[in-house]
Amino acid sequence: MIIGELALDYLKQLGPSAVDMEIRCLGPEAGGSVPIMCRFLEMISHVLDTKRDFEIGNAYLGLFLKVN
């Protein structure tokens, strides 16, 4: 899951408003797609399975569920 780790590292470097924008842009109405949304959820699942970065994964999941 190297791509998911790279994506997580990218998100961790962003500020809160940039993370919010990136997550909002995952949906089809904002230029993303359903497969991209699924990949994001797979990344979050990997974070939770490995028990690394749990807090940030939980925060990103909460934001994702709120806006999409």
Side-chain angles (χ1 to χ4, degrees), residues 20-61:
D20 182 71
M21 187 177 87
E22 290 288 341
I23 292 176
R24 287 179 187 273
C25 289
L26 294 174
E29 65 281 347
S33 67
V34 172
I36 292 173
M37 293 170 69
C38 290
R39 292 293 292 174
F40 178 81
L41 291 174
E42 288 172 10
M43 178 191 75
I44 297 298
S45 177
H46 176 73
V47 167
L48 298 176
D49 288 344
T50 60
K51 299 180 175 100
R52 292 179 47 221
D53 298 314
F54 177 82
E55 291 84 9
I56 201 161
N58 190 32
Y60 291 164
L61 178 60

